[in-house]
Amino acid sequence: MLEQTKVNIIDQSNEALLDQMGLKKTKLRLELVKHFKDAKHAQSYSDLKQIMGEGVDKSTLYRNLSAFEEVGLIHGINDHSGITKYALGASPSAGQEHAHFVCESCETVYCVKGMTEIQMKVPSGFKAKNIQTIIRGTCANC
Amino acid sequence: MLEQTKVNIIDQSNEALLDQMGLKKTKLRLELVKHFKDAKHAQSYSDLKQIMGEGVDKSTLYRNLSAFEEVGLIHGINDHSGITKYALGASPSAGQEHAHFVCESCETVYCVKGMTEIQMKVPSGFKAKNIQTIIRGTCANC
DNA sequence: TTATAAATGCAACTGAGTTGCATTTAATTT
DNA sequence: AAATTAAATGCAACTCAGTTGCATTTATAA
């Protein structure tokens, strides 16, 4: 078994990456991975559809996003908009949390790594496994 | 103009509360406020529908939730489930942040006040206005 | 008590995401 | 290289949360 958390996503070729994740290398998947690597902010379904081409099937795209998320290649972010956005990297887990910045003006979502420090206690009887932080505000482009 | 943040929600009668918020005191609204005060965890549309009675109209309920949220009587919480849940109190804003605890087993959402301390820096050019934290784990009942 | 602006009820709609199924394709086997 | 097969795709139909338009009713102010 492969330890996904130890795979360095950015340094791998797109092909190697899909191989390691046990995913077949289809044209769309390669394009998706490439795009996620370049993306400066989190991508919604419609962002991706626009970039991958309008001909791309909805189910196929969504199924690939799910597949990518399952293996930890990307992670979904749920802000107040109700539209899930995806960004490269596994879901932030214990020890490697990162926050998400949502711009209130353009609704763009950015991953903000290593800039938040969260100390949490939970009521007795509760067990915390992971933490997700969403910062709302105005981004550099707005 | 009334400063909503200074209104102490719990100490007021339901009637006075709606008055102060500039909302008409309808039967459903009074029941809703009452229920929100008693609720031990955040409420979804279907939680509320069940409690308010199946006869309650969907639009009416949703419109009341929006109205309550707008005046800061309740705040919506968006976890990974895609179903918005609501809890008493204005949206956590600067200085009075609180976290939300989502139970991975029963999907119940709790507000956790005064137990998290978050220090955040954001990249230059970004301006943070408020912060929302979701802790995932197992609750005391599971 | 009357006027009126807001709240309700209903039905129809929107839009994100899912599912079933037949077809195609990437990867494996011989 | 050809045959096999399990997974990926494309399509249509569906689900489900939440919204909207509009006619009717109700809370509140005059």
Side-chain angles (χ1 to χ4, degrees), chain A residues 78 80 101 115-121 125-138 140, chain B residues 78 80 104 115-121 125-138 140:
Chain A
N78 286 73
H80 204 78
F101 187 100
M115 305 203 92
T116 43
E117 233 173 83
I118 301 150
Q119 267 168 357
M120 59 170 171
K121 279 172 282 181
F126 286 64
K127 243 185 267 180
K129 276 186 195 155
N130 84 67
I131 191 162
Q132 190 198 359
T133 301
I134 290 185
I135 304 167
R136 299 186 67 80
T138 315
Chain B
N78 286 72
H80 205 77
E104 287 183 335
M115 303 204 92
T116 44
E117 232 173 85
I118 301 148
Q119 269 166 359
M120 57 168 172
K121 277 173 283 183
F126 286 65
K127 240 185 270 179
K129 275 188 197 154
N130 84 67
I131 188 161
Q132 190 196 1
T133 301
I134 291 185
I135 304 167
R136 299 186 66 82
T138 315

Side-chain angles (χ1 to χ4, degrees), chain B residues 12-130:
Chain B
Q12 315 253 344
S13 80
N14 304 338
E15 284 82 0
L17 214 45
L18 290 177
D19 262 348
Q20 282 181 52
M21 297 305 190
L23 296 170
K24 287 186 179 177
K25 289 162 275 185
T26 68
K27 201 183 140 212
L28 178 61
R29 283 181 181 170
L30 287 164
E31 278 180 44
L32 276 171
V33 176
K34 189 179 149 207
H35 176 64
F36 271 119
K37 280 187 180 173
D38 291 342
K40 295 276 178 290
H41 55 77
Q43 303 286 296
S44 67
Y45 161 78
S46 48
D47 290 339
L48 294 167
K49 171 130 191 174
Q50 222 172 303
I51 288 153
M52 297 298 126
E54 287 298 324
V56 170
D57 183 67
K58 200 193 343 185
S59 320
T60 303
L61 218 177
Y62 273 117
R63 279 193 277 232
N64 280 325
L65 290 173
S66 299
F68 282 15
E69 197 175 18
E70 240 164 73
V71 298
L73 194 53
I74 61 175
H75 65 282
I77 305 153
N78 286 72
D79 62 11
H80 205 77
S81 73
I83 294 156
T84 305
K85 277 143 199 161
Y86 298 89
L88 209 63
S91 194
S93 55
Q96 37 177 265
E97 282 90 2
H98 70 263
H100 295 116
F101 186 100
V102 181
C103 179
E104 287 183 335
S105 160
C106 66
E107 288 296 325
T108 304
V109 176
Y110 304 83
C111 291
V112 186
K113 271 203 163 172
M115 303 204 92
T116 44
E117 232 173 85
I118 301 148
Q119 269 166 359
M120 57 168 172
K121 277 173 283 183
V122 289
S124 67
F126 286 65
K127 240 185 270 179
K129 275 188 197 154
N130 84 67

Side-chain angles (χ1 to χ4, degrees), chain A residues 7-38 68 73 88:
Chain A
V7 174
N8 187 329
I9 292 173
I10 307 169
D11 291 347
Q12 314 253 341
S13 79
N14 303 337
E15 285 82 0
L17 213 45
L18 290 176
D19 263 347
Q20 282 181 51
M21 298 304 191
L23 296 170
K24 288 186 178 175
K25 290 162 276 183
T26 67
K27 199 183 142 212
L28 178 62
R29 282 180 180 170
L30 288 165
E31 277 179 45
L32 276 171
V33 175
K34 189 179 150 211
H35 177 65
F36 271 118
K37 280 186 181 173
D38 291 342
F68 281 14
L73 193 54
L88 211 64

Side-chain angles (χ1 to χ4, degrees), chain A residues 73-93:
Chain A
L73 193 54
I74 61 176
H75 64 282
I77 305 153
N78 286 73
D79 62 11
H80 204 78
S81 74
I83 295 157
T84 306
K85 278 144 199 159
Y86 298 88
L88 211 64
S91 194
S93 56

